[in-house]
Amino acid sequence: MSFADFAAFRRTLPAPPPLARTSRTLRGLPFALYHTPAVPGTVPLVCTNGGLIYDHRLLWPALSPLAERRQLWFWDQRGRGRTPAPPGLRAARFTHDIGDLAALIAALAESLGSPVDTFGHSWGAGMTLAASAQAAAQVRRTALANCVGPTGAWRATLLANARRRLDDARRAAFDEALATLDADGSIAAHSAYSRALYPAWFFDPTFADVFQPPVATSETGAVVATHLYREGYDVTAHVRGYDRPALFVHGADDILPPAESQAMAALVRQPHVMLVADCGHLPFWERPRPFFETVETFLGAP
């Protein structure tokens, strides 16, 4: 799908519904939450963005087509968006985000009086799967897009794939940003790296001329990302044996190899895997029709 096709698809949709903001204290921090209007008789969907240094705006209004049939909930991770930084933010880790999301799932399920569905993209997909396993009693189904793998072993492959996809000028900017990031874990370095990498996420380069990530300002996110990049991670034990139906959608041409989603899928008991052809890391932009049709069918199942 070209960007012109994407624009035509979005024009067929109603205007995104309003997104209301609220707050809930979890594990000692007041988390910023956002939700669309309730849809009676349906299961709410708790959505988690990736990016590590960004807030919920990476997924809104991108996921607005899903709000036609269910209520969507978004949240800003600790120290990102409107959620304040934790005390001693230099100690912030990815495992804290997983625990926060598990607490949010449990709290929302209790207040809504029913289990919830969960959704995550990229880093947020790995977080979502681990947190959903931790709060499995409160989860009905889990949908994941372009999920990271069980361990951080994929990053070297991603960086090599990114360099091959970028043109000469963008590759030079990317190499410079990566070299700076390797020596400097500040939010400025992470933001510059993310912006230099961003064009490589798309299979169709015309999308990179239109979309740019938002400006990132989260020092907490930079701390979390720095430790993950330098030390790696392993969520295998967190997700192994997860027994709720889990959908893994992955762009077949993502620089994050589809094999990473497949490796995650191999750990759970009820996996459903779909590779989307001619698609990179952001299927809700590049291939919205098959992406939303697949997710809707999966979430609509009893």
Side-chain angles (χ1 to χ4, degrees):
M1 172 178 280
S2 67
F3 179 77
D5 293 330
F6 161 77
F9 168 78
R10 295 296 295 192
R11 285 195 294 270
T12 68
L13 303 175
L19 201 61
R21 180 162 64 94
T22 183
S23 178
R24 185 181 292 264
T25 298
L26 304 164
R27 290 157 46 102
L29 277 177
F31 282 83
L33 308 180
Y34 310 82
H35 63 84
T36 60
V39 180
T42 65
V43 180
L45 181 66
V46 181
C47 305
T48 300
N49 61 277
L52 297 176
I53 59 175
Y54 297 108
D55 61 26
H56 75 283
R57 289 174 294 174
L58 283 188
L59 291 182
W60 185 259
L63 296 187
S64 61
L66 295 176
E68 294 185 50
R69 294 178 175 85
R70 63 192 54 78
Q71 185 179 50
L72 306 185
W73 284 83
F74 302 88
W75 63 299
D76 288 340
Q77 294 147 36
R78 56 175 56 203
R80 281 146 278 187
R82 294 179 179 268
T83 298
L89 70 85
R90 294 296 166 191
R93 298 292 185 272
F94 188 54
T95 51
H96 297 152
D97 292 332
I98 292 171
D100 295 339
L101 178 54
L104 174 60
I105 291 168
L108 286 178
E110 180 179 7
S111 64
L112 296 170
S114 67
V116 298
D117 290 335
T118 54
F119 174 90
H121 173 245
S122 190
W123 281 111
M127 189 189 312
T128 293
L129 187 58
S132 297
Q134 187 173 328
Q138 290 83 32
V139 178
R140 188 188 69 112
R141 286 175 169 260
T142 293
L144 306 169
N146 295 67
C147 189
V148 297
T151 75
W154 50 265
R155 190 162 184 261
T157 301
L158 179 142
L159 296 177
N161 289 342
R163 293 193 79 256
R164 283 191 291 268
R165 179 161 293 176
L166 296 170
D167 60 30
D168 289 345
R170 283 172 165 164
R171 188 181 307 118
F174 171 71
D175 287 343
E176 181 180 355
L178 180 60
T180 301
L181 180 65
D182 286 342
D184 178 4
S186 71
I187 184 57
H190 277 281
S191 184
Y193 162 76
S194 181
R195 295 180 73 82
L197 174 65
Y198 197 68
W201 289 124
F202 295 98
F203 172 71
D204 182 343
T206 62
F207 280 83
D209 297 328
V210 178
F211 291 111
Q212 284 292 324
V215 175
T217 60
S218 173
E219 291 289 351
T220 307
V223 169
V224 172
T226 296
H227 280 277
L228 279 175
Y229 293 161
R230 293 178 180 175
E231 301 169 8
Y233 69 95
D234 189 342
V235 296
T236 303
H238 293 266
V239 305
R240 188 187 300 278
Y242 180 53
D243 63 356
R244 299 296 186 264
L247 171 68
F248 297 82
V249 181
H250 206 112
D253 302 283
D254 190 3
I255 59 172
L256 172 65
E260 300 304 326
S261 275
Q262 294 166 332
M264 280 290 214
L267 295 172
V268 306
R269 295 183 181 178
Q270 299 186 64
H272 305 259
V273 179
M274 178 185 176
L275 299 184
V276 184
D278 300 330
C279 182
H281 194 63
L282 301 153
F284 37 80
W285 290 136
E286 279 199 284
R287 299 279 285 162
R289 288 188 176 90
F291 171 77
F292 286 114
E293 288 172 2
T294 299
V295 174
E296 284 285 4
T297 298
F298 175 77
L299 293 178

